[in-house]
Structures are given as C-alpha cells and as structure tokens.
Amino acid sequence: MDLIQRSRRLRTTPVLRKMVRETRMDASSLIYPMFVKEGKGIKEEIPTMPGQFRYSVDELPKALEEVAAAGVPSVMLFGIPDHKDACGSNAWAEDGIVQKALRKAKEAVPELYYIADTCMCEYTSHGHCGILDGQYVDNDKTLEHLAKIALSQVQAGADMIAPSDMMDGRIKAIRTMLDQNGHVTVPIMSYAAKYASAFYGPFRDAAGSAPSFGDRKSYQMDYHNRKEALKEIHQDIEEGADIIMVKPALSYLDIIREAADVIDRPIAAYSVSGEYAMIKAAAKAGYMDEDSIICETATSIYRAGTDILLTYYAKEIARFIQEGRIG
C-alpha cells in the first residue's frame, strides 16, 4: 500500500502514545466530596454509594489524612445537621456541622484545601434550597441567607465557597458579603450550570436532602437547554464568580465543551453521585471493569474541557495518574 498518512505511526508504543496525548490530567485538579454529620465515632457507609461514608467530626481527620496521602489536594464538605428548620438556620450557625468540621479539618490536616458547599437543602425541614413563600422558593429572600452562610463558612476556615442553590443573583450577594467583611481574596466556585437531574438521587440519600414536596425544577436548569447554560455562566462571571461549574458531568460534556470555548475562567465539572453509583453497580454485577471505566470516564470529562474535577473517585484517579494509566 502506498500510504503517506498513517495515523497508527503515533500509536506504536506506550511512550509515544503518551508523548502525543492531547488530554493531560494532574491530581492537583481533583476535589473529593465528603459528608460530615453530628455525633461521635461515626463512619457509616452510604448504602446507595458503596465506598463512600458519612463521618462525625472526630472521625474526619483520619479520612482527610487518607485523602492527602492519596495525592488529592482538595475536599468539598457537605453537612448533615441534627436539627432542621424552615430557614435552615444550622447552615450559618457558629456551631453548625460544617463550621465545626472546617475548624477541626484545618487544625488536623492543614495541607488540604477546603471548599464549602453553600446551600440550604440539607438544613431546611422542607428540603428546598431556599426560603419558602407558600410552596414557592422566594429567590430574593434566600439571597441574604446564602450570604450569611458563606460568611460563616469562611470565618470557620473555608478556603473557597461553592454556592449550589441556583438562585438568581446569589454570586453578587455572596461576593458583596465576603468583600464587606474583609474576605476579598476568598474565591467563589459557582455551580453555574446545575441541571435538574435524576443523577442526584444517591446524594439526596447520603445528605438527607430530598425535597419534602415538589421538585427543584423552578430553580435548577431544564436538561433540554444548552444556550441557557451559557447565559447562566456569563451572568455568574459578571457577578464575580472565579470558577464556574457544570453539574452533572457525563451527560453534559457538550455544555463543558461549549463553555470552555467561550469563557476565560477555569471550568469545574462535578461527576455526581448517580454517575458513581452506576459504575459501582455495573462493576459489582461483573458487567464492566471498574478501574478501566473510571479512567475512561474521567478522561472524557477532561477532554471536553474541564480544568477541575469533583469526583467520588478522586483517590482512585490520583493513583491511576501516579501509575501512568491516565494523565
């Protein structure tokens, strides 16, 4: 055969394949989500998320040390309070569960970077992400509460704030509150394009955050929409977001790619609980090789344009990068 173009030339050896690789990954871009709850001596596995746990504050340092030893530099904390009320007051309390966890974490494992999920759904008795007016989530009344939550989390030690509520104007409200209180250097990672997704099911079990009525479709995005995601992203950037996030990841790679093409901010993607649970279930059934699927799916998310990946497989991905299987 008289072939001039032979693409296979660059695939002949592992060294060469890695040399010409287009998508490169580094463990420094990984964030590991973790759940912390009230109580003592608690490390309980989450039934819908095998291998993931809820920790009490006293058990958290051991888990954080494992994260650091795995080479994952950052964690995001989600709180599970004992007390819930209509306004989610435990979310901004000085002795709130995330606030206590942050203080303990910063003392015990200071080398990690701590991100606080800023929302109300885990703390409200109704499970919605804001203040209710009847059965409607009142956007503007919710903003002042979100700003208080963000400030309390930073005062407790959060290095970054990540608002996940999807209220209009929340980034501006939080940025204003932080700046007015001297926290001008604390960055905001906005859940900018957060879709109303069935992939969140296991998380709601883990955090006890399912709404007691209705759904969240009046504030989370319709998954039919693409252009709306870019509108939301641009609005959050205008309001002061330093990093934008697309959530979920695997079913929204097109959104990640479009955002990467047009914005000048780092892009995060959250590989959510349902994505994790599907892989776990298929691997347990013997349908797929778990390690290979972890590598392939993570690479696809980075290939789409992601700079930062939040994933329950962060420790495994860091190991695979170190071993040279991906990255």
Side-chain angles (χ1 to χ4, degrees):
M1 294 290 291
D2 185 20
L3 295 179
I4 296 176
Q5 299 293 336
R6 290 184 180 267
S7 296
R8 290 181 58 189
R9 289 192 191 106
L10 298 181
R11 303 174 192 153
T12 53
T13 69
V15 171
L16 184 55
R17 288 193 294 272
K18 193 166 186 179
M19 182 189 300
V20 300
R21 187 170 287 169
E22 296 175 28
T23 302
R24 299 185 182 273
M25 300 154 60
D26 190 283
S28 64
S29 65
L30 295 170
I31 300 172
Y32 185 51
M34 300 181 71
F35 301 91
V36 60
K37 65 177 295 182
E38 299 284 4
K40 290 187 177 181
I42 298 171
K43 179 186 176 182
E44 57 186 25
E45 190 169 28
I46 300 164
T48 52
M49 299 175 66
Q52 302 302 311
F53 299 86
R54 304 180 190 96
Y55 300 95
S56 55
V57 172
D58 61 313
E59 291 291 326
L60 188 61
K62 287 183 285 187
L64 293 171
E65 288 169 1
E66 292 177 6
V67 175
V72 177
S74 306
V75 300
M76 180 182 285
L77 293 177
F78 295 88
I80 306 167
D82 275 349
H83 170 73
K84 300 187 179 190
D85 56 33
C87 63
S89 60
N90 198 267
W92 66 82
E94 185 177 351
D95 63 346
I97 181 60
V98 163
Q99 286 77 3
K100 289 188 291 189
L102 283 165
R103 287 191 288 269
K104 184 69 172 181
K106 297 283 279 193
E107 175 189 350
V109 191
E111 64 267 31
L112 288 176
Y113 189 86
Y114 294 99
I115 305 167
D117 175 79
T118 304
C119 196
M120 299 177 66
C121 61
E122 297 109 305
Y123 303 91
T124 56
S125 52
H126 46 75
H128 279 282
C129 300
I131 302 299
L132 294 184
D133 181 1
Q135 292 197 342
Y136 177 74
V137 177
D138 189 312
N139 189 96
D140 295 4
K141 287 182 180 178
T142 299
L143 298 184
E144 59 185 274
H145 290 78
L146 292 170
K148 285 196 297 185
I149 296 168
L151 179 60
S152 72
Q153 291 172 335
V154 172
Q155 289 173 336
D159 298 302
M160 180 186 290
I161 294 300
S164 59
D165 54 282
M166 288 299 285
M167 298 296 123
D168 293 332
R170 73 217 192 277
I171 303 302
K172 182 178 180 181
I174 291 171
R175 184 74 272 161
T176 300
M177 175 68 84
L178 294 181
D179 289 356
Q180 288 176 346
N181 285 272
H183 300 293
V184 296
T185 61
V186 174
I188 298 174
M189 177 168 62
S190 168
Y191 289 63
K194 181 179 180 180
Y195 285 86
S197 172
F199 283 100
Y200 305 148
F203 175 92
R204 290 174 183 173
D205 172 58
S209 62
S212 61
F213 65 89
D215 52 42
R216 296 179 178 143
K217 293 181 179 178
S218 71
Y219 41 101
Q220 294 178 359
M221 286 181 52
D222 183 343
Y223 59 72
H224 296 81
N225 295 352
R226 177 180 58 82
K227 294 178 181 178
E228 185 184 18
L230 297 178
K231 180 185 75 171
E232 292 273 7
I233 288 168
H234 284 299
Q235 286 177 342
D236 283 4
I237 290 173
E238 289 170 4
E239 292 181 14
D242 302 285
I243 300 168
I244 67 96
M245 185 198 300
V246 176
K247 180 183 179 184
L250 285 178
S251 291
Y252 301 87
L253 298 178
D254 59 321
I255 306 301
I256 297 170
R257 179 69 265 159
E258 290 210 36
D261 285 342
V262 299
I263 71 166
D264 60 356
R265 297 292 192 280
I267 295 174
Y270 197 150
S271 186
V272 298
S273 59
E275 299 168 34
Y276 174 87
M278 286 194 306
I279 295 173
K280 279 290 183 184
K284 184 178 180 180
Y287 297 153
M288 300 186 300
D289 178 74
E290 184 175 10
D291 290 357
S292 296
I293 291 296
I294 294 170
C295 292
E296 186 173 343
T297 54
T299 301
S300 75
I301 298 167
Y302 281 97
R303 189 182 64 236
T306 296
D307 302 297
I308 301 163
L309 178 59
L310 295 90
T311 171
Y312 301 98
Y313 278 123
K315 290 184 286 186
E316 290 84 350
I317 293 170
R319 173 164 57 86
F320 295 146
I321 291 172
Q322 185 177 19
E323 294 172 353
R325 294 186 59 175
I326 53 175

